[in-house]
Coordinates of all heavy atoms in Angstrom, one line a residue:
D1 N -0.7 -22.3 25.9 CA -1.4 -21.5 24.9 C -0.5 -20.3 24.6 O -0.4 -19.2 25.2 CB -2.7 -20.9 25.7 CG -3.6 -20.3 24.7 OD1 -3.5 -20.6 23.6 OD2 -4.4 -19.5 25.2
V2 N 0.4 -20.5 23.6 CA 1.2 -19.5 23.1 C 0.5 -18.7 22.1 O 0.0 -19.2 21.0 CB 2.4 -20.2 22.5 CG1 3.6 -19.2 22.0 CG2 3.1 -21.2 23.5
P3 N 0.5 -17.4 22.3 CA -0.1 -16.4 21.3 C 0.6 -16.4 20.1 O 1.9 -16.3 20.1 CB -0.2 -15.1 22.1 CG 0.9 -15.1 23.0 CD 1.0 -16.5 23.5
D4 N -0.1 -16.4 19.0 CA 0.5 -16.3 17.5 C 0.4 -15.0 17.1 O -0.7 -14.5 16.8 CB 0.0 -17.4 16.7 CG 0.7 -17.4 15.3 OD1 1.7 -16.8 15.3 OD2 0.1 -18.2 14.5
D5 N 1.5 -14.2 16.8 CA 1.4 -12.8 16.3 C 1.3 -12.8 14.9 O 0.9 -11.6 14.3 CB 2.7 -12.1 16.7 CG 2.8 -11.9 18.2 OD1 1.8 -11.8 18.9 OD2 3.9 -11.7 18.7
A6 N 1.3 -13.9 14.2 CA 1.1 -13.9 12.7 C -0.2 -13.7 12.3 O -1.2 -14.0 13.0 CB 1.5 -15.3 12.1
P7 N -0.5 -12.9 11.3 CA -1.9 -12.6 11.0 C -2.6 -13.9 10.5 O -2.1 -14.8 9.9 CB -1.8 -11.7 9.7 CG -0.4 -11.8 9.2 CD 0.5 -12.4 10.3
R8 N -3.9 -13.9 10.7 CA -4.8 -15.0 10.2 C -4.8 -15.0 8.7 O -4.6 -14.0 8.1 CB -6.2 -14.8 10.8 CG -6.2 -14.9 12.3 CD -7.8 -15.0 12.8 NE -8.6 -14.0 12.0 CZ -9.0 -12.8 12.4 NH1 -8.7 -12.3 13.6 NH2 -9.8 -12.2 11.7
P9 N -5.0 -16.2 8.2 CA -5.1 -16.2 6.6 C -6.1 -15.3 6.0 O -5.9 -14.7 4.9 CB -5.5 -17.9 6.3 CG -5.2 -18.5 7.6 CD -5.3 -17.4 8.7
D10 N -7.3 -15.1 6.6 CA -8.2 -14.1 6.1 C -7.7 -12.8 6.0 O -8.0 -12.0 5.1 CB -9.6 -14.3 6.7 CG -9.5 -13.9 8.2 OD1 -8.5 -14.2 8.8 OD2 -10.5 -13.3 8.8
E11 N -7.0 -12.3 7.1 CA -6.4 -11.0 7.1 C -5.3 -10.8 6.0 O -5.2 -9.8 5.5 CB -5.8 -10.8 8.6 CG -6.8 -10.6 9.7 CD -6.2 -10.6 11.0 OE1 -5.0 -11.1 11.2 OE2 -6.8 -10.2 11.9
V12 N -4.5 -11.9 5.9 CA -3.5 -11.9 4.8 C -4.2 -11.7 3.4 O -3.8 -10.8 2.5 CB -2.7 -13.2 4.7 CG1 -1.7 -13.3 3.5 CG2 -1.9 -13.2 6.1
W13 N -5.2 -12.3 3.2 CA -5.9 -12.3 1.9 C -6.6 -10.9 1.8 O -6.4 -10.3 0.6 CB -7.1 -13.3 1.8 CG -7.8 -13.3 0.6 CD1 -7.4 -13.8 -0.6 CD2 -9.0 -12.7 0.2 NE1 -8.3 -13.7 -1.7 CE2 -9.3 -12.9 -1.1 CE3 -9.9 -12.0 0.9 CZ2 -10.5 -12.5 -1.7 CZ3 -11.1 -11.5 0.4 CH2 -11.4 -11.7 -0.9
I14 N -7.2 -10.4 2.8 CA -7.8 -9.0 2.7 C -6.5 -7.9 2.5 O -6.8 -7.1 1.6 CB -8.6 -8.7 3.9 CG1 -9.9 -9.5 4.1 CG2 -8.9 -7.2 4.1 CD1 -10.6 -9.5 5.4
S15 N -5.6 -8.1 3.1 CA -4.5 -7.2 2.9 C -3.9 -7.2 1.5 O -3.6 -6.3 1.0 CB -3.4 -7.4 3.9 OG -3.7 -7.2 5.3
S16 N -3.9 -8.4 1.0 CA -3.3 -8.6 -0.4 C -4.3 -8.0 -1.3 O -3.8 -7.2 -2.3 CB -3.0 -9.9 -0.8 OG -4.2 -10.7 -1.0
K17 N -5.6 -8.1 -1.1 CA -6.6 -7.4 -2.1 C -6.4 -6.0 -2.0 O -6.6 -5.2 -2.9 CB -7.9 -8.0 -1.7 CG -8.2 -9.4 -2.1 CD -8.1 -9.5 -3.6 CE -8.1 -11.1 -4.0 NZ -7.7 -11.2 -5.3
R18 N -6.3 -5.3 -0.7 CA -6.2 -3.9 -0.5 C -5.0 -3.4 -1.2 O -5.0 -2.4 -1.8 CB -6.2 -3.6 0.9 CG -7.5 -3.6 1.6 CD -7.6 -3.2 3.0 NE -7.0 -1.9 3.2 CZ -7.6 -0.7 3.1 NH1 -9.0 -0.7 2.6 NH2 -7.1 0.4 3.3
L19 N -3.9 -4.2 -1.2 CA -2.7 -3.8 -1.9 C -2.8 -3.7 -3.4 O -2.4 -2.8 -4.0 CB -1.5 -4.7 -1.4 CG -0.1 -4.2 -1.9 CD1 0.2 -2.9 -1.4 CD2 1.0 -5.3 -1.4
E20 N -3.6 -4.7 -3.9 CA -3.8 -4.7 -5.4 C -4.7 -3.6 -5.7 O -4.4 -2.9 -6.8 CB -4.6 -6.1 -5.7 CG -3.8 -7.2 -5.7 CD -4.6 -8.6 -6.0 OE1 -5.7 -8.4 -6.5 OE2 -4.1 -9.6 -5.7
T21 N -5.6 -3.2 -4.9 CA -6.5 -2.0 -5.2 C -5.6 -0.8 -5.1 O -5.8 0.1 -5.9 CB -7.6 -1.9 -4.2 OG1 -8.3 -3.2 -4.1 CG2 -8.5 -0.8 -4.3
L22 N -4.7 -0.7 -4.1 CA -3.9 0.5 -4.2 C -2.9 0.6 -5.3 O -2.8 1.7 -5.9 CB -3.1 0.5 -2.8 CG -2.2 1.6 -2.6 CD1 -3.0 2.9 -2.3 CD2 -1.3 1.4 -1.4
N23 N -2.4 -0.5 -5.7 CA -1.6 -0.5 -7.0 C -2.4 0.1 -8.2 O -1.9 0.7 -9.0 CB -1.0 -1.8 -7.2 CG 0.3 -2.1 -6.3 OD1 0.9 -1.2 -5.9 ND2 0.4 -3.4 -6.0
E24 N -3.7 -0.4 -8.3 CA -4.6 0.0 -9.4 C -4.8 1.5 -9.3 O -4.8 2.2 -10.4 CB -5.9 -0.7 -9.3 CG -5.9 -2.2 -9.7 CD -7.3 -2.8 -9.5 OE1 -8.1 -2.2 -9.1 OE2 -7.1 -4.1 -9.5
A25 N -5.0 2.0 -8.1 CA -5.2 3.4 -7.9 C -4.0 4.2 -8.3 O -4.1 5.3 -9.0 CB -5.6 3.7 -6.5
F26 N -2.9 3.7 -7.9 CA -1.6 4.4 -8.3 C -1.5 4.4 -9.7 O -1.0 5.4 -10.3 CB -0.4 3.7 -7.5 CG 0.2 4.5 -6.5 CD1 -0.1 4.3 -5.2 CD2 1.2 5.5 -6.8 CE1 0.5 5.0 -4.2 CE2 1.8 6.3 -5.7 CZ 1.3 5.9 -4.5
A27 N -1.8 3.3 -10.4 CA -1.7 3.3 -11.9 C -2.6 4.3 -12.5 O -2.3 4.8 -13.6 CB -1.9 1.9 -12.4
A28 N -3.8 4.6 -11.8 CA -4.8 5.5 -12.4 C -4.3 7.0 -12.4 O -4.8 8.0 -13.1 CB -6.1 5.4 -11.8
L29 N -3.3 7.3 -11.4 CA -2.7 8.7 -11.3 C -2.0 9.1 -12.5 O -1.3 8.1 -13.3 CB -1.9 8.8 -10.0 CG -2.6 8.6 -8.7 CD1 -1.5 8.6 -7.6 CD2 -3.5 9.6 -8.5
D30 N -1.9 10.3 -12.8 CA -0.9 10.8 -13.9 C 0.4 10.6 -13.4 O 0.8 10.6 -12.2 CB -1.2 12.2 -14.2 CG -1.0 13.2 -13.2 OD1 -1.7 13.5 -12.3 OD2 0.2 13.8 -13.2
P31 N 1.4 10.4 -14.2 CA 2.7 10.0 -14.0 C 3.5 11.0 -13.1 O 4.2 10.7 -12.1 CB 3.5 9.9 -15.3 CG 2.4 9.7 -16.2 CD 1.2 10.3 -15.7
L32 N 3.3 12.3 -13.2 CA 3.9 13.3 -12.4 C 3.3 13.3 -10.9 O 4.2 13.2 -10.0 CB 3.7 14.7 -12.9 CG 4.4 15.9 -12.3 CD1 6.0 15.6 -12.2 CD2 4.1 17.2 -12.8
T33 N 2.0 13.1 -10.9 CA 1.5 13.1 -9.4 C 1.9 11.8 -8.7 O 2.3 11.9 -7.5 CB 0.0 13.1 -9.5 OG1 -0.5 14.3 -10.2 CG2 -0.7 13.0 -8.1
R34 N 2.0 10.7 -9.5 CA 2.5 9.4 -8.9 C 3.8 9.5 -8.4 O 4.2 9.1 -7.3 CB 2.3 8.3 -10.0 CG 2.7 6.9 -9.5 CD 2.5 5.8 -10.6 NE 2.1 6.6 -11.9 CZ 1.7 6.1 -13.0 NH1 1.8 4.9 -13.1 NH2 1.4 6.9 -14.0
Q35 N 4.7 10.2 -9.3 CA 6.1 10.4 -8.9 C 6.3 11.3 -7.6 O 7.0 10.9 -6.8 CB 6.9 11.0 -10.0 CG 8.4 11.0 -9.9 CD 9.1 11.6 -11.1 OE1 8.4 12.3 -11.9 NE2 10.4 11.3 -11.3
M36 N 5.5 12.3 -7.6 CA 5.6 13.2 -6.4 C 5.0 12.5 -5.1 O 5.7 12.7 -4.0 CB 4.7 14.4 -6.7 CG 5.2 15.4 -7.6 SD 4.1 16.8 -7.9 CE 5.0 17.8 -9.0
L37 N 4.0 11.7 -5.2 CA 3.4 10.9 -4.0 C 4.5 9.9 -3.6 O 4.8 9.8 -2.4 CB 2.2 10.3 -4.3 CG 0.9 11.2 -4.2 CD1 -0.3 10.2 -4.9 CD2 0.7 11.5 -2.8
R38 N 5.2 9.3 -4.5 CA 6.2 8.3 -4.1 C 7.3 9.0 -3.5 O 7.8 8.5 -2.5 CB 6.7 7.5 -5.3 CG 5.8 6.5 -5.7 CD 6.4 5.4 -6.6 NE 5.4 4.3 -6.9 CZ 5.1 4.0 -8.2 NH1 5.7 4.6 -9.1 NH2 4.3 2.9 -8.2
A39 N 7.7 10.1 -4.0 CA 8.9 10.9 -3.4 C 8.5 11.4 -2.0 O 9.3 11.3 -1.0 CB 9.1 12.1 -4.3
Q40 N 7.3 11.8 -1.8 CA 6.9 12.3 -0.5 C 6.7 11.1 0.5 O 7.3 11.1 1.6 CB 5.6 13.1 -0.5 CG 5.2 13.7 0.9 CD 3.9 14.4 0.8 OE1 2.9 13.9 0.2 NE2 3.8 15.2 1.6
R41 N 5.8 10.1 0.1 CA 5.5 9.1 1.0 C 6.4 8.0 1.2 O 6.6 7.5 2.4 CB 4.1 8.4 0.7 CG 2.9 9.4 0.6 CD 2.6 9.8 2.0 NE 1.5 10.8 2.0 CZ 0.8 10.9 3.0 NH1 1.0 10.3 4.1 NH2 -0.1 11.9 2.9
L42 N 7.1 7.6 0.2 CA 8.0 6.5 0.2 C 9.5 7.0 0.5 O 10.2 6.3 1.3 CB 8.0 5.5 -1.0 CG 6.6 5.0 -1.3 CD1 6.6 4.3 -2.6 CD2 6.2 4.1 -0.1
E43 N 9.9 8.0 -0.2 CA 11.3 8.5 -0.1 C 11.5 9.5 1.1 O 12.5 9.7 1.5 CB 11.8 9.0 -1.4 CG 11.8 7.9 -2.4 CD 12.1 8.5 -3.8 OE1 12.7 9.5 -3.9 OE2 11.7 7.8 -4.8
G44 N 10.3 10.0 1.6 CA 10.4 10.9 2.8 C 10.9 12.3 2.3 O 11.3 13.1 3.2
L45 N 10.8 12.7 1.1 CA 11.2 14.1 0.6 C 10.1 15.2 1.1 O 8.9 14.8 1.2 CB 11.3 14.1 -0.9 CG 12.5 13.3 -1.4 CD1 12.5 13.4 -2.9 CD2 13.8 13.7 -0.9
R46 N 10.6 16.3 1.5 CA 9.6 17.4 1.8 C 9.1 18.0 0.5 O 9.6 17.8 -0.5 CB 10.4 18.4 2.7 CG 10.9 17.8 4.0 CD 11.5 18.9 4.9 NE 12.3 20.0 4.2 CZ 13.7 19.9 4.1 NH1 14.2 18.8 4.6 NH2 14.4 20.7 3.4
V47 N 8.0 18.8 0.7 CA 7.2 19.4 -0.4 C 8.2 20.4 -1.1 O 8.3 20.4 -2.3 CB 6.0 20.1 0.2 CG1 5.3 20.9 -1.1 CG2 5.0 19.0 0.6

């Protein structure tokens, strides 16, 4: 009985749907705010 660390198919589907929703939300932001959020959250820049 070897444990499988891979996510279950339903978890993968739910995660992909959440990612799509997040991308839609990012698209709804104004370009300057979107650029600032990416700089802070993804690139790790300070305020």
Side-chain angles (χ1 to χ4, degrees):
D1 190 19
V2 179
D4 186 7
D5 294 334
R8 296 187 321 256
D10 61 324
E11 292 172 336
V12 171
W13 183 80
I14 290 169
S15 294
S16 70
K17 290 298 175 191
R18 286 185 52 83
L19 188 58
E20 286 176 16
T21 304
L22 182 62
N23 282 331
E24 290 171 8
F26 251 98
L29 293 172
D30 67 277
L32 185 58
T33 305
R34 186 178 1 182
Q35 190 179 18
M36 288 179 179
L37 277 170
R38 280 196 176 124
Q40 183 192 36
R41 298 293 177 160
L42 299 177
E43 296 171 22
L45 295 178
R46 294 187 318 265
V47 175

